[in-house]
Amino acid sequence: MKTISIDQKYVEKFVQQSELDALQPALQKAQQDLIQKTGKGNDFLGWVSLPDEIDDAFLADIETTAKHLREKAKLFVVIGIGGSYLGARAVIEALQNQFSALDSSRKDPFVIYAGHQLSEDYMHELLAILDKTDYAMAVISKSGTTTEPAVAFRILKNHIEKKYGKEEAKSRIVAITDKERGALKTLATKEGYKTYIVPDDVGGRYSVLTPVGLLPIAVAGFDIRSLVKGAQDMKAIVISENTLSKNPAMHYAALRNALYQQGKKIEIMVNYDPRLYFLTEWWKQLYGESEGKEGKGIFPAGVNNTSDLHSMGQYIQEGERILFETVLSVENNRETIEIPSDSENLDGMNFVAGKRMGYVNSMAQLGTILAHIDGGVASIKISIPEISAYTIGQLIYFYEFGCGLSGYVLGVNPFDQPGVEAYKKNMFKLLGK
Ligand code: PA5
């Protein structure tokens, strides 16, 4: 099985093995609390067993709906925010051809997003494209009451009904929401939309393996069965193994918590492949919303290298020593490109002639890690063999389980988000709700 692995050698200058071992008992308890549902927020632990509960009939239903939507649409609008948006986008952007939006011979619908902010100009530009392109959409909100997607859906529902008529519009809309509560559920039932349920015990940021993520991913043309299989295989490991050396989620949680206990309050997720940009965004939400409470928690940040070596690289190398990094390293690229030799060598680049671009990228990665260690920045290295639906499925479950463990070790409830309400109260007051 091609699996993810954790390398702690770039942390060893900063963290003693004894510090990691000291965390193991707390992590073992946290692991049991997640499995036995005996910890904080235990009514939101449905995601723990979720991968094994996904059966063939459910996947076949998602695939059938996706097929129907794929036949109708060149664009598929996913309306949602936070956990009702980032998981699907993380997976789709990791797997899709990065220039597919520009490819007119593209067979798969191109997935675009709405309801993840309130920009009027964004919506205006989106409507202009939808005027001239066949589209369908999913409106996703677990609570069914979130303002951003509700505003976007009101506008887009109006648009799609005018464009296709009410009956046809209905066949182009899927709602994904709570089984009984919320305005979206009421509306979807009244309008007769195809509807999928977000399970009660799965919170938004842990919901990518429910229809919230699986439907958009399937519409985009990706293999949801491999994604789920990856999550199932990772689950089997992180549920059954209870030592740092055998359980990668425990190992990751131990490393980041040991660094946090030394005052490293910022974790920077680093990638060297732009396809992983939204996976970092998803990870930021997962960890930030789960851990950042009660005055505690590691602040999750992200950089995209080598681009950000020419911007944030300066701070990471020499700024305040309050951070560490986690490098998500991809061992094999999908394609190969060799750098050509040039007889004149006017650009002085013949020292890389004949080498693969991926090799140069990997040397940039190693050189950066070594420079950061010299600069006082520890690097946790997570390696995946390749970017595929299977490995992304593994990563999703690995990060989710690692987050649950970390939150419990920190002593917080990793499954609530009371702080998200504060801005809403003010906004509603200002809007006269
Ligand atoms: O993780 C979470 O719970 C949040 O980020 C939610 O996903 C986000 O606020 C959107 O909520 P809803 O799906 O209810 O619209």
Side-chain angles (χ1 to χ4, degrees):
M1 176 175 64
K2 291 179 187 168
T3 192
I4 68 175
S5 59
I6 311 272
D7 190 345
Q8 69 172 46
K9 72 169 168 287
Y10 305 117
V11 181
E12 280 165 0
K13 195 177 154 196
F14 306 90
V15 174
Q16 304 297 311
Q17 187 59 42
S18 55
E19 289 173 76
L20 298 173
D21 292 341
L23 281 161
Q24 189 165 280
L27 285 163
Q28 286 169 335
K29 174 165 183 341
Q31 181 196 35
Q32 284 313 308
D33 282 339
L34 290 174
I35 298 169
Q36 312 292 341
K37 298 193 188 334
T38 43
K40 288 184 182 172
N42 57 1
D43 43 350
F44 280 98
L45 285 171
W47 60 272
V48 175
S49 52
L50 180 71
D52 292 339
E53 288 159 7
I54 298 174
D55 62 17
D56 190 63
F58 168 76
L59 289 172
D61 184 56
I62 296 265
E63 286 163 345
T64 304
T65 304
K67 183 168 179 285
H68 159 83
L69 295 166
R70 284 165 61 79
E71 281 161 8
K72 282 183 176 282
K74 279 214 154 311
L75 289 176
F76 186 65
V77 189
V78 173
I79 304 170
I81 194 167
S84 290
Y85 148 71
L86 280 164
R89 190 162 193 180
V91 176
I92 291 167
E93 302 231 352
L95 299 179
Q96 80 184 355
N97 179 303
Q98 292 162 90
F99 299 98
S100 58
L102 305 175
D103 181 359
S104 52
S105 66
R106 190 186 69 235
K107 299 246 168 355
D108 299 310
F110 190 71
V111 178
I112 47 181
Y113 304 88
H116 57 303
Q117 28 71 11
L118 287 163
S119 163
E120 192 164 15
D121 288 347
Y122 182 98
M123 183 56 82
H124 192 270
E125 289 166 16
L126 176 60
L127 292 173
I129 284 293
L130 298 179
D131 274 342
K132 49 187 181 196
T133 318
D134 269 326
Y135 74 102
M137 61 194 183
V139 52
I140 309 175
S141 175
K142 182 177 178 191
S143 63
T145 56
T146 307
T147 308
E148 291 89 339
V151 167
F153 185 56
R154 183 176 276 218
I155 295 166
L156 289 167
K157 177 176 183 291
N158 190 43
H159 184 274
I160 203 168
E161 286 176 354
K162 280 203 180 118
K163 178 163 174 156
Y164 295 104
K166 222 168 157 33
E167 270 316 297
E168 174 61 18
K170 242 187 235 181
S171 72
R172 290 172 180 263
I173 298 173
V174 175
I176 304 175
T177 189
D178 185 81
K179 69 175 184 308
E180 55 195 15
R181 282 165 303 178
L184 179 57
K185 175 66 192 168
T186 312
L187 193 156
T189 308
K190 176 135 191 304
E191 298 285 4
Y193 300 148
K194 169 81 178 169
T195 302
Y196 287 101
I197 306 286
V198 191
D200 277 346
D201 56 358
V202 179
R205 57 194 176 274
Y206 295 82
S207 70
V208 54
L209 297 171
T210 72
V212 170
L214 296 179
L215 181 72
I217 294 165
V219 173
F222 299 112
D223 180 2
I224 54 173
R225 289 173 190 262
S226 292
L227 186 83
V228 170
K229 176 80 173 91
Q232 287 168 341
D233 288 352
M234 182 50 60
K235 173 179 177 285
I237 298 169
V238 300
I239 295 279
S240 61
E241 299 292 349
N242 72 348
T243 58
L244 302 188
S245 59
K246 291 205 168 133
N247 185 324
M250 242 181 203
H251 194 179
Y252 172 51
L255 289 165
R256 62 195 297 283
N257 279 288
L259 288 160
Y260 181 61
Q261 286 172 3
Q262 292 180 8
K264 306 295 185 197
K265 295 190 186 293
I266 298 171
E267 177 177 7
I268 305 173
M269 186 60 66
V270 186
N271 70 67
Y272 283 80
D273 190 319
R275 287 179 293 173
L276 298 174
Y277 176 88
F278 273 97
L279 193 72
T280 299
E281 293 303 299
W282 172 82
W283 169 86
K284 278 161 62 180
Q285 187 212 353
L286 180 63
Y287 280 73
E289 219 172 10
S290 298
E291 292 189 312
K293 50 198 73 161
E294 300 174 31
K296 297 192 267 194
I298 298 172
F299 182 84
V303 295
N304 306 287
N305 286 348
T306 60
S307 308
D308 286 337
L309 291 174
H310 299 262
S311 60
M312 297 305 290
Q314 172 59 37
Y315 190 104
I316 298 169
Q317 189 67 40
E318 295 184 344
E320 281 233 49
R321 302 298 72 189
I322 49 170
L323 49 88
F324 65 96
E325 64 184 12
T326 298
V327 178
L328 179 54
S329 181
V330 183
E331 282 162 7
N332 298 296
N333 298 315
R334 255 180 241 152
E335 311 294 345
T336 58
I337 291 188
E338 196 175 284
I339 301 167
S341 179
D342 187 303
S343 56
E344 291 194 65
N345 195 27
L346 292 177
D347 57 5
M349 292 303 290
N350 267 355
F351 70 100
V352 288
K355 298 201 164 60
R356 282 185 48 194
M357 208 174 156
Y359 174 76
V360 177
N361 200 17
S362 65
M363 289 304 106
Q365 182 180 305
L366 181 58
T368 305
I369 290 175
L370 296 176
H372 286 173
I373 292 175
D374 289 344
V377 177
S379 284
I380 302 171
K381 187 174 172 195
I382 301 174
S383 298
I384 53 172
E386 66 202 7
I387 298 177
S388 65
Y390 178 75
T391 58
I392 298 292
Q394 283 192 336
L395 268 180
I396 287 169
Y397 198 86
F398 158 79
Y399 279 135
E400 287 180 350
F401 207 83
C403 186
L405 293 174
S406 286
Y408 279 169
V409 167
L410 197 63
V412 299
N413 175 356
F415 310 111
D416 66 1
Q417 52 285 329
V420 175
E421 295 309 310
Y423 95 94
K424 292 185 192 168
K425 270 190 211 144
N426 290 339
M427 178 177 68
F428 292 149
K429 198 166 161 204
L430 291 165
L431 289 169
K433 184 176 179 184

